[in-house]
Amino acid sequence: MAFLRSAVQRLVSAVRPPLSPSCRTSARSYSSEHTKEKSVPYEKTLKQDDGVTSGPTKPLPRSADVVVIGGGSLGCQTIYHLAKMGMTNVVLLERDRLTAGTTWHTAGLLWQLRPSDVEVELLAHTRNVISKDLEEETGLHTGWIQNGGLFIASNKQRLDEYKRLMSLGKVYGIESHVLSPAETKDLYPLMNVDDLYGTLYVPKDGTMDPAGTCTTLSRAASARGATVIENCPVTGIQVRTDDLGVKKVKAVETPHGTIETPCVVNCAGVWAAKLGEMAGVRVPLIAMHHAYVVTERIEGIQNMPNVRDHDASVYLRLQGDALSVGGYEQNPVFWDEVSDKFAFSLFDLDWDVFMQHIEGAINRVPVLEQTGIKSTVCGPESFTADHKPLMGEAPEVRGFFLGCGFNSAGMMLGGGCGRELAQWIIHGRPEKDMYGYDIRRFHNSLTDNKSWIRERSHESYAKNYSVVFPFDEPLASRNMRKDPFHQVLTEKGCVFQERHGWERPGWFNKDGPAPVKGYDYYGAYDIKKNVNYKYNELLGKEYTFDFPPHHDVIKSECLSCRHGVAVFDMSYFGKFYLTGPDAKKAADWLFTADVNKKPGSTVYTCMLNKRGGAEADLTVSRLESGAANLPLAPESNGDAYYLAIGGGVAEHNWNHIRTSLQDQGFRCQLTDHSEDMGMISIQGPKSREVLQEVLDTDLSNEAFPFSTHKVVNAAGHQVRAMRLSFVGELGWELHIPKDSCLPVYHAVMAAGAKHGIINSGYRAIDSLSIEKGYRHWHADLRPDDTPLEAGLAFTCKLKSSIPFQGRDKLEKQKEEGLRRRIVCFTIDEKVPMFGLEAVFRNGVPVGHLRRSDYGFFIDKTIGYGYIRNPDGGVVSADFIKSGEFTMERMGVTYKAKAHLKSPFDPENKRVKGIYA
């Protein structure tokens, strides 16, 4: 019998040449040929024993409403949910047998708690489907085993993270317990607890069986009228171009016939990029080897919970009377030449790469050192740039949906994501906030950049088990998009954040420059690790759930803005022009607010989906018609609008507008000038004094009122000045042609020197804006929130008769009353909160914080969250006022005060320049 450690030592032979991150896997000296031996630890797989592949298992229909491609977890869950929602003319095509690609060898773990409210909800639905719904519908057992989950903490920060999860779990009714090392030993006698800080035990976590789950899903879908066809590879996707020039799915081609369809769902996993190419769709994922080993029998391991030891980057999955041992390493093996004939196949395990997991496993469960290896499982998995799936309608082709790139989590996320994908297809949008998975979260300049995909996917894989800290930033593929101020701000000590490929200012380090360096793959593949890396050192100091060491620096930036003047570089903003014959009709339909005021006006507004959820918040400026003066003004013979949108969501906004225009048939042009202009925002009580020296126009309240704009000269350069604020102060934004950015910036800084002007970053904006009560899209305003729930009814033209997208849903909600609404909370105790903290009213959980930060002017922690009535009734102002609220942060309860208005400047005097 080969014991784990000795077997590994024998198998690891001479030192092999390192694998460059850009070379092919064949450069390694191990065999890349897949084995024919069935090594997965499941009693049943769906592989045909004779190995003979016949033709399709069913005749192909001539047409279908939806064709799902790929018979793994996501494909099966998607067709099941489509059928359950009433779509019966749907087809699933699998090139081999169900699960043949990557699903068949998955570990099948399901953990209920994640540092995301949406993911907790998605996981809960998966668990309900496989543990309850499917068995009730079919009478078949899916193979679900509820043996519990145990998260290991070897340090305080890790246990703090688990306590955050525990607090969030209380909102969703998920049972979990923080255990001491001694209590952990009682629960899991074979575990070494000598180096433990504590653990989090979740009794209702468990394990899924891939073959049992997918077979049952297939049968349940077929019983509702769906068609599942195996042994039928897809060879092409036909795309047509309509009269407006819009590309749409037309048909799916196979060797056995063509199916006409307006909708394709790409659930092809590792093979999804190839399938995307057939339709001209970019699918930014990459294939890597992912492995685990299965041990021989271990006495006393039966009924033990699954274990995740994040700090050792290893998991231990209960496998009857044995364990499966796997993890995530910093030097994963890329699979560059993805084979179309790879089905029910495995790679030879690279022990050089895998050995680190053995060491961690033996430390945690010492009996493993004397336990034999029964089998090895090394198969392909698809990974993405941020370790989150790719979902939604592709920007390139209407009707082409993605359901792929699940980063080894396709089984546990499959049920929730399958349901949301079905909602997306049927209703145009999912029910939940799926922006974090939406393909449109990535800018179009990145999705075909192979270096970006590879570097980011590597870093996300290597950091998969790292603590999720609030202010972490990637190190891979930085400096992809830089604005004209980047170099001068770097020299002034700017610590940049990455958003949408852009480098945007985070905060300003007083100890000098901290530039971002090229990616070093964390020293893997024999790449020299970056040394004296100040930026990385500063990030490391933020790895805390306490206030960061530079808390006072951010305080200084915030209070300089509140008492004096600060300049913010906001150049990463999306900057679009909407013009054309139907521009006014489009603006009326797209925007909740009435933006058709006189030229020179600027309006804050939302854009909604059909459900009334907020797809965006932005400012819309109405322009004078006339000749082009690009990039400051487009050519227009009629109505024209300038849209300024948060840069991190610009691609999402662009596609929302574009598809809405297409769906309504509006004759409009949407043009993107984001790269052509920079943007600085000068804010604070002294901003007027500073800018009056730079701009050639009267900045008085009468001459330049709030929410207006005009083209003016700044230090001899034309700019568009807008009197707006995202921090709650008197101030102006300057939208500046790229070549004029630095001269204008230097003029502003020179004029502001005697007023103590400083550079300030987005960490300060986050604090200042939450203090004022301004929303951040995708934090306290999401696609599953309506403006009424979000306290933004003032942005909706409901008193007019003008129709706009989602209006009917808002009118109904207004009539019925709000079942949830946003509430501002303050906490007197000096504790940091970051969002996800549980909110209790009179001791009963009623919600959680979506967003939280420290307000330096009011000197309190502030949080915003959506509150429900536990009885399901209306959440009225009286319901808020009459309750006693508390927050739970990492298991500790704090008294909180609820506010219906922002506690900072509730009368909006400061933005009007009134500083009495």
Side-chain angles (χ1 to χ4, degrees):
M1 177 185 291
F3 295 130
L4 272 183
R5 190 185 297 275
S6 57
V8 170
Q9 289 169 344
R10 286 201 303 272
L11 284 164
V12 177
S13 54
V15 176
R16 297 168 180 172
L19 175 65
S20 161
S22 59
C23 74
R24 300 288 182 254
T25 50
S26 57
R28 301 228 29 155
S29 58
Y30 65 86
S31 167
S32 61
E33 295 294 320
H34 51 267
T35 66
K36 296 181 180 179
E37 177 184 353
K38 185 178 77 174
S39 300
V40 296
Y42 300 109
E43 291 183 11
K44 178 186 176 184
T45 70
L46 303 181
K47 183 179 180 180
Q48 292 173 302
D49 292 336
D50 56 11
V52 177
T53 302
S54 56
T57 53
K58 294 177 185 174
L60 270 65
R62 294 184 60 183
S63 64
D65 294 329
V66 181
V67 175
V68 178
I69 303 172
S73 172
L74 256 295
C76 291
Q77 288 279 12
T78 301
I79 198 166
Y80 164 73
H81 282 92
L82 284 169
K84 196 169 185 177
M85 291 178 195
M87 288 196 82
T88 56
N89 186 24
V90 292
V91 176
L92 184 149
L93 299 179
E94 163 56 45
R95 64 188 174 90
D96 196 275
R97 308 291 291 188
L98 296 182
T99 76
T102 61
T103 298
W104 80 293
H105 61 71
T106 183
L109 297 162
L110 191 148
W111 317 94
Q112 295 177 88
L113 292 176
R114 305 264 279 206
S116 158
D117 56 346
V118 174
E119 289 189 354
V120 168
E121 294 172 11
L122 295 173
L123 292 165
H125 184 69
T126 299
R127 190 182 179 285
N128 286 339
V129 168
I130 60 163
S131 67
K132 176 176 166 286
D133 294 353
L134 283 173
E135 193 162 346
E136 290 177 357
E137 291 178 35
T138 66
L140 300 172
H141 183 52
T142 63
W144 165 252
I145 299 171
Q146 183 180 295
N147 59 311
L150 192 62
F151 286 8
I152 306 300
S154 301
N155 54 68
K156 180 182 182 298
Q157 289 178 333
R158 183 69 73 178
L159 193 61
D160 283 346
E161 180 183 41
Y162 295 160
K163 288 177 179 177
R164 275 171 56 78
L165 298 181
M166 178 186 69
S167 293
L168 179 62
K170 291 180 180 179
V171 179
Y172 289 99
I174 297 171
E175 180 187 358
S176 65
H177 309 275
V178 172
L179 304 182
S180 68
E183 291 169 325
T184 303
K185 186 73 173 179
D186 290 341
L187 176 68
Y188 203 121
L190 294 178
M191 183 171 289
N192 167 34
V193 299
D194 293 345
D195 59 347
L196 289 195
Y197 206 86
T199 58
L200 179 68
Y201 175 49
V202 188
K204 295 182 181 178
D205 283 355
T207 313
M208 297 171 285
D209 175 74
T213 299
C214 291
T215 299
T216 311
L217 286 166
S218 170
R219 290 188 183 181
S222 298
R224 294 177 182 272
T227 304
V228 177
I229 304 175
E230 299 173 274
N231 296 333
C232 187
V234 170
T235 55
I237 308 286
Q238 293 180 15
V239 175
R240 66 182 178 89
T241 304
D242 70 11
D243 295 341
L244 295 174
V246 179
K247 293 182 177 180
K248 297 181 177 180
V249 169
K250 180 183 178 184
V252 174
E253 298 172 349
T254 81
H256 311 287
T258 297
I259 305 174
E260 292 187 4
T261 182
C263 181
V264 161
V265 190
N266 182 351
C267 297
V270 164
W271 296 268
K274 287 191 173 183
L275 189 66
E277 289 174 6
M278 295 179 186
V281 170
R282 294 178 292 201
V283 183
L285 55 75
I286 197 163
M288 299 185 200
H289 293 201
H290 190 57
Y292 60 91
V293 299
V294 185
T295 72
E296 298 284 1
R297 184 178 186 278
I298 303 171
E299 183 62 38
I301 204 71
Q302 296 87 342
N303 302 317
M304 289 296 102
N306 300 317
V307 174
R308 247 185 170 180
D309 190 342
H310 289 97
D311 294 313
S313 198
V314 67
Y315 64 80
L316 308 172
R317 176 205 194 272
L318 184 69
Q319 200 74 54
D321 58 2
L323 288 177
S324 293
V325 179
Y328 291 83
E329 56 280 345
Q330 291 199 347
N331 56 337
V333 180
F334 293 96
W335 190 30
D336 289 310
E337 299 297 337
V338 176
S339 168
D340 292 338
K341 306 203 178 292
F342 199 93
F344 291 111
S345 303
L346 298 171
F347 304 110
D348 291 340
L349 182 64
D350 187 321
W351 285 100
D352 285 348
V353 173
F354 195 79
M355 181 62 183
Q356 56 196 287
H357 305 311
I358 299 296
E359 298 286 354
I362 289 173
N363 174 63
R364 189 55 54 220
V365 182
V367 70
L368 288 174
E369 189 164 11
Q370 299 302 316
T371 302
I373 301 169
K374 186 176 182 180
S375 63
T376 67
V377 181
C378 181
E381 293 280 3
S382 58
F383 294 92
T384 64
D386 55 4
H387 216 73
K388 295 188 183 299
L390 307 175
M391 293 180 63
E393 191 173 34
E396 299 93 340
V397 178
R398 300 296 303 273
F400 191 102
F401 285 81
L402 301 177
C404 52
F406 274 78
N407 304 278
S408 296
M411 283 294 292
M412 67 175 169
L413 288 171
C417 289
R419 180 175 67 173
E420 294 306 309
L421 204 44
Q423 292 274 3
W424 223 321
I425 292 162
I426 295 170
H427 300 294
R429 293 299 289 145
E431 268 192 352
K432 300 188 187 304
D433 166 34
M434 299 299 289
Y435 175 73
Y437 291 7
D438 193 332
I439 182 62
R440 300 176 300 174
R441 71 189 184 272
F442 297 132
H443 190 258
N444 64 77
S445 65
L446 303 175
T447 51
D448 65 346
N449 185 315
K450 288 182 170 52
S451 173
W452 175 82
I453 296 168
R454 194 179 195 90
E455 288 189 7
R456 276 296 173 84
S457 298
H458 170 270
E459 183 177 34
S460 295
Y461 182 100
K463 291 182 69 174
N464 183 43
Y465 277 2
S466 299
V467 177
V468 180
F469 289 109
F471 302 114
D472 198 12
E473 292 291 329
L475 297 175
S477 282
R478 294 292 296 267
N479 296 318
M480 302 295 288
R481 303 173 78 192
K482 296 187 288 189
D483 65 49
F485 306 105
H486 182 268
Q487 184 58 39
V488 68
L489 295 184
T490 297
E491 293 167 2
K492 293 179 182 293
C494 184
V495 180
F496 285 94
Q497 302 171 331
E498 186 277 340
R499 298 293 183 272
H500 224 44
W502 285 106
E503 297 293 317
R504 75 172 193 183
W507 56 283
F508 285 80
N509 174 43
K510 294 183 177 179
D511 295 328
V516 178
K517 296 184 178 182
Y519 187 49
D520 62 4
Y521 283 86
Y522 292 87
Y525 314 114
D526 249 15
I527 293 173
K528 187 177 180 181
K529 202 167 184 178
N530 287 321
V531 295
N532 300 320
Y533 194 178
K534 194 169 184 179
Y535 181 84
N536 195 21
E537 292 170 9
L538 291 171
L539 275 188
K541 291 178 181 178
E542 295 232 65
Y543 290 167
T544 176
F545 291 110
D546 294 321
F547 292 117
H550 47 269
H551 187 63
D552 287 342
V553 177
I554 297 168
K555 175 182 180 179
S556 175
E557 292 184 18
C558 289
L559 294 183
S560 292
C561 179
R562 288 279 184 247
H563 297 301
V565 60
V567 58
F568 301 89
D569 174 18
M570 303 173 74
S571 299
Y572 91 122
F573 258 50
K575 310 170 193 76
F576 308 153
Y577 289 119
L578 178 65
T579 58
D582 291 339
K584 182 179 183 300
K585 289 181 184 177
D588 284 339
W589 178 253
L590 283 166
F591 307 124
T592 58
D594 183 4
V595 300
N596 282 302
K597 303 183 183 302
K598 64 180 182 181
S601 64
T602 297
V603 178
Y604 172 68
T605 183
C606 294
M607 291 192 290
L608 307 183
N609 52 45
K610 294 174 185 176
R611 299 178 188 270
E615 290 290 332
D617 69 331
L618 66 158
T619 59
V620 178
S621 300
R622 193 164 184 205
L623 306 178
E624 298 273 5
S625 60
N629 179 24
L630 292 173
L632 289 175
E635 180 179 1
S636 171
N637 296 320
D639 298 291
Y641 306 87
Y642 176 46
L643 284 50
I645 295 164
V649 295
E651 184 76 15
H652 172 87
N653 280 234
W654 172 270
N655 283 285
H656 174 75
I657 296 168
R658 192 172 57 89
T659 55
S660 296
L661 298 177
Q662 293 168 4
D663 292 344
Q664 296 298 313
F666 291 133
R667 296 168 298 155
C668 294
Q669 289 79 48
L670 184 68
T671 53
D672 185 355
H673 289 272
S674 303
E675 308 272 356
D676 303 333
M677 285 187 282
M679 172 183 162
I680 55 175
S681 182
I682 299 89
Q683 300 287 324
K686 297 180 181 178
S687 59
R688 180 183 277 135
E689 296 172 63
V690 172
L691 288 176
Q692 195 63 80
E693 292 187 33
V694 180
L695 306 182
D696 68 344
T697 191
D698 183 355
L699 299 180
S700 67
N701 285 336
E702 297 74 24
F704 208 140
F706 186 70
S707 283
T708 62
H709 66 91
K710 60 181 72 173
V711 174
V712 299
N713 283 310
H717 298 263
Q718 275 199 325
V719 305
R720 185 174 297 281
M722 295 187 178
R723 187 169 166 193
L724 295 170
S725 179
F726 195 48
V727 297
E729 299 293 337
L730 172 70
W732 280 260
E733 295 175 359
L734 303 182
H735 298 241
I736 315 167
K738 185 166 57 176
D739 293 341
S740 300
C741 282
L742 286 179
V744 172
Y745 169 78
H746 288 307
V748 169
M749 296 306 287
K754 59 179 173 289
H755 300 285
I757 195 169
I758 67 161
N759 288 293
S760 194
Y762 267 83
R763 291 287 287 279
I765 288 179
D766 290 342
S767 169
L768 294 163
S769 61
I770 199 171
E771 194 169 48
K772 176 56 184 158
Y774 291 154
R775 307 288 178 256
H776 272 196
W777 193 84
H778 200 235
D780 40 17
L781 180 66
R782 305 192 310 201
D784 53 345
D785 305 320
T786 72
L788 305 188
E789 295 167 340
L792 298 177
F794 70 90
T795 67
C796 302
K797 48 181 180 263
L798 291 174
K799 292 181 180 178
S800 76
S801 60
I802 302 170
F804 59 88
Q805 183 156 256
R807 176 175 180 141
D808 56 332
K809 297 297 189 295
L810 298 192
E811 289 174 331
K812 184 180 179 184
Q813 188 177 59
K814 185 177 180 181
E815 182 181 340
E816 294 177 350
L818 299 178
R819 295 298 194 271
R820 59 197 283 273
R821 65 187 294 172
I822 200 166
V823 178
C824 172
F825 296 97
T826 55
I827 298 93
D828 288 336
E829 295 185 59
K830 297 289 192 294
V831 291
M833 294 190 180
F834 307 104
L836 301 183
E837 291 81 8
V839 179
F840 296 82
R841 180 184 181 273
N842 300 340
V844 178
V846 291
H848 63 276
L849 295 186
R850 287 274 195 85
R851 177 180 167 217
S852 187
D853 213 317
Y854 199 82
F856 292 100
F857 189 87
I858 67 171
D859 201 22
K860 293 180 190 294
T861 292
I862 308 171
Y864 278 83
Y866 286 79
I867 302 308
R868 293 183 182 274
N869 188 328
D871 299 331
V874 171
V875 181
S876 63
D878 286 341
F879 178 84
I880 303 298
K881 292 175 183 175
S882 63
E884 289 189 6
F885 288 91
T886 55
M887 304 282 175
E888 183 175 308
R889 172 190 182 269
M890 299 179 190
V892 179
T893 299
Y894 300 89
K895 287 185 178 180
K897 183 177 179 180
H899 305 265
L900 293 174
K901 279 190 172 184
S902 165
F904 171 81
D905 190 25
E907 296 177 2
N908 285 326
K909 289 183 177 180
R910 298 172 76 97
V911 295
K912 300 169 186 173
I914 302 171
Y915 290 92

